Amino acid sequence: MTKTWNHQVVKEGNKSLVLDKIKNNSPISRAAVASQTGLNKGTVSSLVSDLLDDQLIYESGPGESSGGRRPVMLLFNDLAGYAIGIDIGVNYLLGVLTDLSGNIQLKKECSFKNLSYEEIREKMFSTIDSLIASAPESPHGVVGIGVGVPGVVDKSGEILLAPNLKWRNLDLKSVLEEKYGLPVIIENEANAGAYGEKRFGAGQECENIIYVSAGIGIGVGLILNGSLYKGSNGFSGELGHMTIQVNGPKCRCGNEGCWELYASEQALLDTAVQSGLFASTDEELDLPHLIQLAESGNEEAIALFKKSGDYLGVGINNIVNTFNPQQVVIGNRMASAKNWLSESLNERVANQALWFQQNDLIIGFSELDTLPTALGVAAFTIENFLSVRMQPQQAIFS
Amino acid sequence: MTKTWNHQVVKEGNKSLVLDKIKNNSPISRAAVASQTGLNKGTVSSLVSDLLDDQLIYESGPGESSGGRRPVMLLFNDLAGYAIGIDIGVNYLLGVLTDLSGNIQLKKECSFKNLSYEEIREKMFSTIDSLIASAPESPHGVVGIGVGVPGVVDKSGEILLAPNLKWRNLDLKSVLEEKYGLPVIIENEANAGAYGEKRFGAGQECENIIYVSAGIGIGVGLILNGSLYKGSNGFSGELGHMTIQVNGPKCRCGNEGCWELYASEQALLDTAVQSGLFASTDEELDLPHLIQLAESGNEEAIALFKKSGDYLGVGINNIVNTFNPQQVVIGNRMASAKNWLSESLNERVANQALWFQQNDLIIGFSELDTLPTALGVAAFTIENFLSVRMQPQQAIFS
DNA sequence: AAAACTTTGTTTAGCCACTAGACGAACATG
DNA sequence: CATGTTCGTCTAGTGGCTAAACAAAGTTTT
């Protein structure tokens, strides 16, 4: 039975419209909302009254008159509730508590190495516990938990495979839902990052954004026509395993010549070892040190980054030719080497991407530091909460 | 000003729902439509009456009783109007006249070589003229013209570039609209083919279909979440110029190691010349002859196809990893070599695509022969017509 | 300062499409 | 023929939207 259209759907849609308008243009008067959305003044008044009842918005003092009665300004009530976003990395766990606009209220981070699933889960529990405990009193409280994982998540939210964590077939969603009694969203780290970039990054107006999460491996999140594209089973964006060299070196995925064998952090570190920049047993074998080397003028390190940037460009060319996006954002750990990658990357793209693709195309690095994923899952949670709140609330009998 | 929701939108949506139900499940009674869509019986009756007035559906005799009053069966009125679909190829022009279900009523085809834009345009005019002339009398007549071109079409319908036709910046849409006074849709050949496959091909239930148009070049049409993804400016799907060999041979596009240098018809013919199968001046240097050679047991020809299939597989792996589609359909001229390509293609995919991508994944060749593009643009035209017809019709004053 | 005009937000009346349920028509069954 | 079932229409009622009137609260003009 397909979804039919009725009065409730209409109201839901318009309420959403009004709330969005207020969120994005606050402070704004009812009259302005009406004229800008095309809705009738009366309709807006009625919907606004609903939203006020739900404490999702509030009235501030009167605004400036423009030659008549002074308007009552409406504002989105950021603090009507809070969301939790967790980013599980291969060797870190990052948790944020955000308000309903995605502003970070609190950030908790910890690093680790080679922990088991159970150990990481406990760390996550304690992070969530303390974030919930520190959430201020609010009408709606903590509205949900979002978790980003470096692995493959199917449509039901089950983690099928997270190779770098050695996780397989884990139903983390149910675990969290049962423990906290809150809505839980589990999402691939790159998908979440893409959404984080769309909502809080540079291109909030863009409808088509490709987020390249370049870390130990490479994953890609696709925002197409304004929303996340997940594929038939939720496995889209495995572009790290796109072949860029036919019959190239073997990848652990079974394929050959995969992009991430050339452009990932792992690839960079491997070539650094090969070129003798580090001993393979070297304790300091990591990206920050390599960046330090480049900054101190080490020619060899600079050349390595240049090569990496070039390879990044190759894959991004493919992305551009495939999606014709408005924006490509490179995030995750490799983004910290922005200064050393961008020249060769841009050169590769400028020289080799189809000319007509290059109009209005922005290629850049994430400015959200390590946060896109955590912010992205928090944003999913918030969006989910708000969409539920747009629906008519059944009366509560006591 | 964003689009608001009101009862007109509701009616439009429900009318569409009812029409779709009738189209896909005919013959069907009002009662069945109501119970299957979830709409109220009265609502369905009223909407059906509208559709009857518009002659988009008709009543047939009473159906089988299931223990009560016999139902009046409703059917979609295929013949309420006709659409024209034109497929402009590099050396052919194919025109079809279809009914509103996409059934072909008439097909006109002509071949040519090295014609100018003006000459091809004239051929198109005469094709369209004769198709229109032969359309039977019907309530809505010819409802529009769709044209598929082997080139880049921007969102406004202007043809920016069709390299193999040597076309640039042509506003064919306006030309046709003015001449015929009908709605005109211009679409890239691969995009149209993708839609044709979705509507009339094997995977009509699939939401995510990738159509690989492998001819002289390679273009790709993307059906994502059930509708065509065109990118920010309409340039998506240029996967023929995806790099599969870093620092590989130069392509005329400016890039290196492009997929179509390995897996297109052109690539196949070029290697055939190189291997001495044809003299470079040979008149018979074309795909059908190469297929003939393979069929007559020529080992060298068979090996060439095998290699092509392998390279096709490389790109399709990338597609699968990117989109996690339900179906990949290979169409255009290379599809005629299906028997000689599929083995090595399937092997490449089976061995090297990520295992979890391979569940529920269908990779196959088009069964629509040369028609997907023409059928696709006709389908666009029909869909456009029907969506306009769902809107309330203003009274006509005389 | 009074009058006139503007702008804001609420209220009222009316409209439209949907729903629920009554109802008659048309058929099957015993 | 009586009864039960299914189909399709019809009627009353509901909910949300629109247009327009209106009250409230300003500014501008005289």
Side-chain angles (χ1 to χ4, degrees):
Chain A
M1 191 175 306
T2 23
K3 179 168 187 182
T4 63
W5 303 75
N6 54 34
H7 291 138
Q8 286 175 27
V9 177
V10 169
K11 184 165 186 182
E12 210 176 305
N14 284 333
K15 208 161 157 184
S16 242
L17 208 66
V18 170
L19 182 61
D20 279 352
K21 201 74 199 170
I22 296 173
K23 249 201 309 192
N24 301 325
N25 302 62
S26 67
I28 189 173
S29 68
R30 286 164 232 251
V33 170
S35 78
Q36 286 177 36
T37 59
L39 287 167
N40 185 278
K41 284 195 297 175
T43 308
V44 170
S45 258
S46 139
L47 294 174
V48 160
S49 142
D50 274 19
L51 292 171
L52 283 171
D53 287 347
D54 213 6
Q55 304 194 53
L56 292 176
I57 60 174
Y58 63 95
E59 296 181 326
S60 76
E64 286 291 293
S65 161
S66 58
R69 169 173 165 182
R70 295 168 66 187
V72 178
M73 302 314 268
L74 303 168
L75 292 113
F76 179 59
N77 187 5
D78 293 331
L79 307 181
Y82 297 87
I84 289 176
I86 305 283
D87 174 12
I88 302 180
V90 177
N91 43 23
Y92 67 89
L93 192 145
L94 171 66
V96 295
L97 180 77
T98 76
D99 65 21
L100 293 184
S101 287
N103 299 312
I104 294 177
Q105 306 290 312
L106 192 66
K107 186 161 80 169
K108 300 215 86 180
E109 200 165 1
C110 60
S111 302
F112 47 74
K113 250 186 179 172
N114 290 325
L115 292 192
S116 69
Y117 164 63
E118 284 74 18
E119 290 166 317
I120 293 178
R121 193 184 56 192
E122 290 311 311
K123 283 203 180 289
M124 182 170 58
F125 284 165
S126 71
T127 301
I128 294 175
D129 288 339
S130 88
L131 289 174
I132 289 180
S134 64
E137 205 49 43
S138 65
H140 297 288
V142 173
V143 302
I145 301 170
V147 183
V149 266
V152 180
V153 180
D154 75 8
K155 285 208 157 172
S156 72
E158 189 172 329
I159 301 169
L160 288 190
L161 180 68
N164 292 318
L165 290 169
K166 303 193 182 88
W167 289 5
R168 249 172 195 278
N169 301 322
L170 295 175
D171 191 3
L172 188 56
K173 184 177 155 87
S174 302
V175 170
L176 288 172
E177 274 173 348
E178 274 164 36
K179 180 163 167 73
Y180 293 102
L182 289 171
V184 172
I185 290 172
I186 312 278
E187 191 53 82
N188 166 273
E189 159 265 333
N191 284 348
Y195 198 64
E197 284 296 333
K198 173 170 169 54
R199 291 292 304 278
F200 310 111
Q204 298 179 32
E205 303 303 304
C206 294
E207 288 284 280
N208 303 305
I209 302 176
I210 314 296
Y211 175 77
V212 179
S213 168
I216 296 290
I218 295 182
V220 173
L222 310 169
I223 305 288
L224 306 178
N225 294 331
S227 59
L228 183 66
Y229 173 77
K230 304 177 64 162
S232 298
N233 303 308
F235 312 151
S236 69
E238 288 293 337
L239 281 162
H241 299 289
M242 156 176 76
T243 303
I244 63 166
Q245 184 91 49
V246 175
N247 302 324
K250 267 272 170 201
C251 178
R252 60 185 171 155
C253 78
N255 195 4
E256 298 162 350
C258 293
W259 188 25
E260 70 175 43
L261 297 178
Y262 295 85
S264 66
E265 179 184 0
Q266 189 67 57
L268 184 66
L269 296 178
D270 288 351
T271 38
V273 170
Q274 278 165 32
S275 70
L277 256 177
F278 292 101
S280 61
T281 53
D282 202 323
E283 275 278 307
E284 296 191 333
L285 173 62
D286 68 1
L287 185 57
H289 282 86
L290 203 54
I291 293 176
Q292 224 164 14
L293 275 181
E295 271 164 5
S296 66
N298 183 313
E299 293 289 338
E300 217 163 341
I302 293 174
L304 285 181
F305 279 118
K306 196 166 169 186
K307 198 69 199 151
S308 272
D310 187 47
Y311 280 128
L312 268 176
V314 171
I316 287 175
N317 267 353
N318 288 359
I319 287 173
V320 168
N321 284 335
T322 304
F323 294 103
N324 177 224
Q326 285 146 307
Q327 201 172 24
V328 178
V329 183
I330 301 156
N332 209 335
R333 294 173 56 93
M334 286 291 274
S336 58
K338 167 179 173 174
N339 293 336
W340 305 100
L341 296 169
S342 52
E343 194 186 319
S344 55
L345 191 165
N346 289 332
E347 203 172 323
R348 169 69 75 165
V349 173
N351 288 340
Q352 308 201 342
L354 295 169
W355 60 271
F356 51 80
Q357 299 280 15
Q358 301 199 36
N359 300 335
D360 331 310
L361 171 64
I362 304 169
I363 296 178
F365 289 81
S366 174
E367 287 160 12
L368 298 177
D369 196 40
T370 55
L371 291 168
T373 297
L375 284 176
V377 286
F380 278 131
T381 303
I382 295 166
E383 188 144 294
N384 184 53
F385 164 72
L386 290 178
S387 91
V388 170
R389 276 281 135 183
M390 293 302 100
Q391 292 164 21
Q393 304 293 315
Q394 64 268 47
I396 295 163
F397 299 94
S398 55
Chain B
M1 192 177 303
T2 23
K3 181 169 186 183
T4 63
W5 304 74
N6 54 34
H7 30 251
Q8 282 175 29
V9 177
V10 170
K11 186 166 182 181
E12 209 176 307
N14 285 332
K15 209 161 155 184
S16 242
L17 209 67
V18 170
L19 182 61
D20 279 352
K21 200 75 199 169
I22 296 173
K23 250 202 308 194
N24 301 326
N25 302 62
S26 68
I28 189 173
S29 69
R30 287 164 233 251
V33 170
S35 77
Q36 286 177 36
T37 58
L39 287 166
N40 185 277
K41 284 194 297 174
T43 307
V44 171
S45 257
S46 140
L47 294 173
V48 160
S49 144
D50 273 19
L51 292 171
L52 283 170
D53 286 348
D54 213 7
Q55 303 194 54
L56 291 177
I57 60 174
Y58 63 95
E59 296 181 324
S60 77
E64 286 291 293
S65 159
S66 58
R69 171 174 163 180
R70 295 167 66 188
V72 179
M73 302 315 267
L74 303 168
L75 292 112
F76 179 60
N77 188 4
D78 293 332
L79 307 180
Y82 297 87
I84 289 177
I86 305 283
D87 174 12
I88 302 181
V90 177
N91 44 22
Y92 67 89
L93 192 145
L94 171 65
V96 296
L97 180 76
T98 76
D99 64 21
L100 293 184
S101 288
N103 300 309
I104 294 177
Q105 307 290 311
L106 193 66
K107 185 161 80 171
K108 300 215 86 177
E109 200 166 1
C110 60
S111 303
F112 47 74
K113 250 188 180 170
N114 291 324
L115 291 192
S116 69
Y117 164 64
E118 286 73 18
E119 289 166 316
I120 292 177
R121 192 183 56 191
E122 290 311 312
K123 282 204 180 289
M124 184 171 57
F125 284 166
S126 71
T127 302
I128 294 174
D129 287 339
S130 90
L131 289 173
I132 289 180
S134 63
E137 205 50 43
S138 65
H140 298 287
V142 172
V143 302
I145 301 170
V147 182
V149 272
V152 180
V153 180
D154 76 8
K155 286 209 158 172
S156 73
E158 188 172 329
I159 302 168
L160 288 191
L161 180 68
N164 292 318
L165 290 168
K166 303 195 181 84
W167 289 4
R168 248 174 197 277
N169 301 323
L170 295 175
D171 191 4
L172 187 57
K173 183 176 156 90
S174 303
V175 170
L176 288 171
E177 273 173 347
E178 275 163 36
K179 182 164 166 72
Y180 293 101
L182 289 171
V184 172
I185 290 171
I186 312 278
E187 191 51 84
N188 166 273
E189 161 264 335
N191 285 348
Y195 199 64
E197 284 295 333
K198 172 170 169 54
R199 290 292 304 279
F200 311 111
Q204 296 180 33
E205 303 303 304
C206 294
E207 288 285 280
N208 303 305
I209 302 175
I210 315 296
Y211 175 76
V212 178
S213 168
I216 297 290
I218 295 181
V220 173
L222 310 169
I223 304 289
L224 306 178
N225 295 330
S227 59
L228 184 64
Y229 173 77
K230 303 175 65 162
S232 298
N233 304 306
F235 310 151
S236 69
E238 287 294 336
L239 281 161
H241 299 289
M242 156 175 76
T243 302
I244 62 165
Q245 184 90 48
V246 175
N247 302 323
K250 268 271 170 198
C251 178
R252 58 183 174 154
C253 77
N255 194 4
E256 299 163 348
C258 293
W259 187 27
E260 69 176 43
L261 296 179
Y262 296 85
S264 66
E265 179 183 1
Q266 190 67 58
L268 183 66
L269 295 179
D270 288 352
T271 38
V273 170
Q274 278 165 32
S275 69
L277 256 178
F278 290 103
S280 61
T281 54
D282 200 324
E283 275 277 305
E284 295 190 334
L285 172 62
D286 67 1
L287 185 58
H289 280 87
L290 203 54
I291 293 175
Q292 225 166 15
L293 276 180
E295 271 165 2
S296 67
N298 183 312
E299 293 288 339
E300 217 163 339
I302 292 174
L304 284 182
F305 279 119
K306 195 167 170 185
K307 198 71 201 152
S308 272
D310 188 47
Y311 281 128
L312 268 176
V314 171
I316 286 175
N317 266 351
N318 288 358
I319 286 173
V320 168
N321 285 334
T322 304
F323 295 103
N324 177 225
Q326 285 147 308
Q327 201 172 24
V328 178
V329 182
I330 301 156
N332 208 334
R333 293 173 56 94
M334 287 291 274
S336 58
K338 167 181 174 176
N339 293 335
W340 306 100
L341 296 170
S342 51
E343 193 186 322
S344 54
L345 191 163
N346 288 332
E347 203 172 322
R348 169 69 75 165
V349 173
N351 288 339
Q352 307 200 342
L354 295 169
W355 60 272
F356 51 79
Q357 299 280 15
Q358 300 199 35
N359 301 335
D360 330 309
L361 170 65
I362 305 169
I363 296 178
F365 289 81
S366 175
E367 286 161 12
L368 299 176
D369 197 38
T370 55
L371 290 169
T373 297
L375 283 176
V377 286
F380 278 131
T381 303
I382 294 165
E383 188 144 294
N384 184 51
F385 163 73
L386 289 178
S387 89
V388 169
R389 276 279 136 185
M390 293 302 101
Q391 293 163 20
Q393 305 292 315
Q394 65 268 49
I396 295 162
F397 299 94
S398 56

